[in-house]
Amino acid sequence: MEKLTTNYLGLKLKSPVIISSSRLTSNIENLIEAEESGAGAVVLKSLFEEQIMYHINVLSTSSGYPEADDYISNYMKLHSVDEYIGLIKSAKKKLSIPVIPSINCYSSSGWLDFARNISDSGADALEINVFFMPLDRKVSSSDSEKIYFELIEKLKSRVSIPLVMKIGPRFSNILYMVDQFYMRGVEGVVMFNRFYEPDIDIKKMEIVPASVLSKTDERRNVLRWIAMTSAQDIKIDISASTGVHSGDDVIRYLLAGADTVQACSVLYQKGISFIKNLNQDISDWMTKNDFSKIDDFRGKLNWLNYESPTIFERTQFMKYFSSVD
Ligand SMILES: Cc1cc2nc3c(=O)[nH]c(=O)nc-3n(C[C@H](O)[C@H](O)[C@H](O)COP(=O)(O)O)c2cc1C
């Protein structure tokens, strides 16, 4: 479907639909299925900072117990950074669509050189799945934000492929953050990651995880921020994530100004081949509305282009729902 072609991070994608980072993208069979189903690109399961640091520590120290060292090195064979790099290389060999590895991190320290190994393994871009949990009440929001900027500066000095920041939805000023990413040379931003959240089971009186998979109406806060961010005069590509459960959801994000749209939960529920349905739905909608390419409608309803942009700024219900007492 030539009409679904789009650009992302300087790469030409045959569809704006990307399979986002999760266990689904941790093996080559699934990656091949994603390409065959029409994904525009694949984002690999994140390699976690803990895994990288563990690898570094194991390589640089010996426990003094040969059996323990053997056990650890066997474990590392199965779960190591090398295995991850192997997945990138095999994906690059077997797929024709862009392959984007992902690193999850929460500090800006020792693991950074591994980002270079990953980027040197033929990857097309690198996604940084980053979240610093503010646990110290004495640290101000601007000091917390600085950690992101320092991380980017260090990464940029080591990595030559396009860098994408996958961020969460909570900052004092999201537009400022994205602008600062752009100023530091970041090529793309994923808005937003959806994090693990704790809930309380009152029968057992225990903390339990909230639903791991998203629902479609979780897209609305994301839509707002994509519509606002894509209206800025900055050249940073936007990939939408959270709440994509149908072709209609993909279209909504494109109308708000996203360059690409990532799907995860829906593929857990309906299988990777559901990407075909997403592409078909976008194509049918484009035909019905006389659009021959994605750029004909991308951002048509963003903060800049929509006739009443204040709708994106509104947060209080008072005016809209004054009839609801
Ligand atoms: C089981 C599961 C595992 C995930 N693992 C990762 C991961 O390793 N790295 C990452 O950046 N995001 C991860 N995510 C987040 C997804 O990539 C995605 O951003 C999030 O689920 C929101 O999209 P959705 O509404 O389409 O599910 C994971 C999500 C799920 C459900």
Side-chain angles (χ1 to χ4, degrees), residues 51-63 69 72-74 76-77 80-82 85 114 117:
Q51 286 174 280
I52 302 175
M53 292 314 289
Y54 187 62
H55 182 76
I56 293 170
N57 292 335
V58 167
L59 290 184
S60 61
T61 57
S62 159
S63 67
D69 287 346
I72 289 169
S73 79
N74 274 339
M76 291 309 300
K77 251 185 226 145
S80 73
V81 174
D82 294 342
I85 290 174
F114 278 80
N117 296 1

Side-chain angles (χ1 to χ4, degrees), residues 19-25 43-48 102-104 127-130 166 190 192-195 212-216 218 240-245 253 262-268:
I19 178 166
S20 72
S21 177
S22 79
R23 196 177 284 280
L24 286 179
T25 57
V43 184
L44 306 186
K45 163 113 188 96
S46 296
L47 184 66
F48 282 75
S102 161
I103 295 180
N104 165 276
E127 205 173 272
I128 303 295
N129 157 17
V130 58
K166 182 173 185 180
V190 181
F192 297 111
N193 205 345
R194 183 177 180 277
F195 299 114
V212 174
L213 302 180
S214 71
K215 297 193 174 59
T216 179
E218 290 181 40
S241 173
T242 295
V244 172
H245 285 258
Y253 276 135
Q262 304 199 4
C264 176
S265 292
V266 71
L267 306 183
Y268 268 99

Side-chain angles (χ1 to χ4, degrees), residues 1 4-6 12-20 25 30-43 95-99 260-263 267 272-280 282:
M1 280 188 247
L4 298 190
T5 305
T6 194
K12 194 173 171 192
L13 271 50
K14 59 186 183 191
S15 160
V17 178
I18 292 178
I19 178 166
S20 72
T25 57
N30 283 2
L31 299 177
I32 292 170
E33 187 180 357
E35 165 153 340
E36 287 172 354
S37 305
V42 292
V43 184
L95 307 186
S96 63
I97 57 176
V99 174
T260 56
V261 177
Q262 304 199 4
L267 306 183
I272 293 174
S273 63
F274 190 69
I275 294 171
K276 282 185 208 158
N277 300 50
L278 297 177
N279 281 336
Q280 192 59 53
I282 308 166

Side-chain angles (χ1 to χ4, degrees), residues 5-283:
T5 305
T6 194
N7 290 310
Y8 180 55
L9 312 171
L11 305 160
K12 194 173 171 192
L13 271 50
K14 59 186 183 191
S15 160
V17 178
I18 292 178
I19 178 166
S20 72
S21 177
S22 79
R23 196 177 284 280
L24 286 179
T25 57
S26 63
N27 67 68
I28 192 68
E29 295 75 25
N30 283 2
L31 299 177
I32 292 170
E33 187 180 357
E35 165 153 340
E36 287 172 354
S37 305
V42 292
V43 184
L44 306 186
K45 163 113 188 96
S46 296
L47 184 66
F48 282 75
E49 177 170 335
E50 290 93 330
Q51 286 174 280
I52 302 175
M53 292 314 289
Y54 187 62
H55 182 76
I56 293 170
N57 292 335
V58 167
L59 290 184
S60 61
T61 57
S62 159
S63 67
Y65 297 97
E67 291 87 341
D69 287 346
D70 280 349
Y71 172 78
I72 289 169
S73 79
N74 274 339
Y75 177 87
M76 291 309 300
K77 251 185 226 145
L78 287 174
H79 299 92
S80 73
V81 174
D82 294 342
E83 187 197 25
Y84 195 73
I85 290 174
L87 179 65
I88 301 171
K89 288 188 175 158
S90 114
K92 278 307 295 173
K93 207 149 73 191
K94 299 207 165 115
L95 307 186
S96 63
I97 57 176
V99 174
I100 306 175
S102 161
I103 295 180
N104 165 276
C105 59
Y106 53 85
S107 76
S108 59
S109 54
W111 58 274
L112 282 158
D113 281 333
F114 278 80
R116 183 187 294 164
N117 296 1
I118 286 171
S119 85
D120 288 350
S121 58
D124 294 284
L126 179 62
E127 205 173 272
I128 303 295
N129 157 17
V130 58
F131 180 59
F132 301 111
M133 184 71 161
L135 297 171
D136 183 345
R137 69 191 162 91
K138 301 285 185 197
V139 176
S140 71
S141 45
S142 66
D143 280 343
S144 304
E145 288 163 1
K146 259 191 221 144
I147 305 174
Y148 289 78
F149 308 146
E150 284 166 7
L151 170 69
I152 291 169
E153 282 156 18
K154 288 181 186 157
L155 274 166
K156 271 282 163 190
S157 68
R158 287 167 171 83
V159 172
S160 52
I161 55 178
L163 200 60
V164 183
M165 296 297 285
K166 182 173 185 180
I167 54 171
R170 295 183 190 96
F171 289 99
S172 303
N173 184 348
I174 289 170
L175 298 179
Y176 170 79
M177 292 304 285
V178 178
D179 186 59
Q180 291 296 310
F181 296 165
Y182 166 68
M183 305 275 278
R184 287 168 173 78
V186 169
E187 283 85 352
V189 62
V190 181
M191 301 170 78
F192 297 111
N193 205 345
R194 183 177 180 277
F195 299 114
Y196 169 91
E197 287 178 348
D199 203 350
I200 290 182
D201 179 328
I202 59 164
K203 277 195 199 128
K204 294 184 186 157
M205 281 205 272
E206 274 177 12
I207 306 294
V208 290
S211 168
V212 174
L213 302 180
S214 71
K215 297 193 174 59
T216 179
D217 57 9
E218 290 181 40
R219 85 180 107 78
R220 289 185 299 236
N221 183 51
V222 190
L223 264 183
R224 176 204 296 262
W225 287 109
I226 288 181
M228 308 263 271
T229 308
S230 71
Q232 308 297 311
D233 186 19
I234 52 177
K235 289 189 176 51
I236 194 163
D237 288 346
I238 301 170
S239 193
S241 173
T242 295
V244 172
H245 285 258
S246 65
D248 290 5
D249 291 334
V250 178
I251 295 162
R252 289 183 176 107
Y253 276 135
L254 295 170
L255 282 167
D259 295 279
T260 56
V261 177
Q262 304 199 4
C264 176
S265 292
V266 71
L267 306 183
Y268 268 99
Q269 289 163 332
K270 299 192 172 160
I272 293 174
S273 63
F274 190 69
I275 294 171
K276 282 185 208 158
N277 300 50
L278 297 177
N279 281 336
Q280 192 59 53
D281 289 350
I282 308 166
S283 172

